Amino acid sequence: MKYNWDFGDNTKDSGNEVTHSYKNFGTYQVSLIAIANNGCADTIIQRNKFIENNFELYFPVSFRPNPANKSGNGYYEKAGQESSIFYPRNYGAKEYELHIYAPNGVEIFNTNNIKQGWNGYMRGRLAPSGIYSYRAKGTYPNGKSFSLSGKVKVIVDDYY
């Protein structure tokens, strides 16, 4: 069996399992031609619309820092595995900066590394419970910029 793909953006491929990434938003007509060993062929055409909402960056509304992680720098490998670090769930941002502000408005953390979040410490000490602000800005792969801001509740248990 042979498979011929046309992704509708002047890119073609062949094979049973292929992957393709689009560089721009838009509507693409994707076609697949499957050809059996005896020469019989069948075609399927699917129209896919990729819009700006396919890229997204969103932040949790609260997090609980790890009091035993004073030396932690906030780096993480896989999103969703580090509940003690405040970081966005990233779906496509390529350039990024994050700023964290204490309740009094003073900046206490910043980074431009998408794989680094805030570990909940300020000046070497665990931040007290409260509502903190964040601001993030950057760009998506298509060059469009984003700017987000919001609040995050820091939860510190009294028994630590």
Side-chain angles (χ1 to χ4, degrees), residues 72-77 82 85 111 113-119:
N73 55 18
Y75 286 99
Y76 61 93
E77 286 300 315
E82 292 290 344
I85 298 172
T111 184
N113 186 330
I114 198 75
K115 289 289 190 179
Q116 183 183 25
W118 179 43
N119 67 356

Side-chain angles (χ1 to χ4, degrees), residues 34-127:
I35 305 167
N37 293 335
N38 66 5
C40 289
D42 198 4
T43 302
I44 185 169
I45 297 173
Q46 178 71 46
R47 185 175 290 266
N48 291 316
K49 186 174 183 180
F50 296 95
I51 57 174
E52 190 168 0
N53 294 348
N54 286 351
F55 294 120
E56 185 178 28
L57 192 76
Y58 71 91
F59 289 87
V61 295
S62 67
F63 88 111
R64 186 182 314 266
N66 183 348
N69 195 18
K70 181 178 182 178
S71 61
N73 55 18
Y75 286 99
Y76 61 93
E77 286 300 315
K78 279 191 129 178
Q81 293 184 340
E82 292 290 344
S83 60
S84 64
I85 298 172
F86 177 74
Y87 62 94
R89 302 317 185 254
N90 178 20
Y91 299 99
K94 71 174 193 172
E95 292 179 16
Y96 158 89
E97 64 181 64
L98 171 65
H99 301 268
I100 305 290
Y101 302 93
N104 65 3
V106 173
E107 183 177 77
I108 56 173
F109 174 82
N110 68 66
T111 184
N112 61 3
N113 186 330
I114 198 75
K115 289 289 190 179
Q116 183 183 25
W118 179 43
N119 67 356
Y121 281 75
M122 48 192 250
R123 289 178 237 132
R125 301 182 75 193
L126 188 62

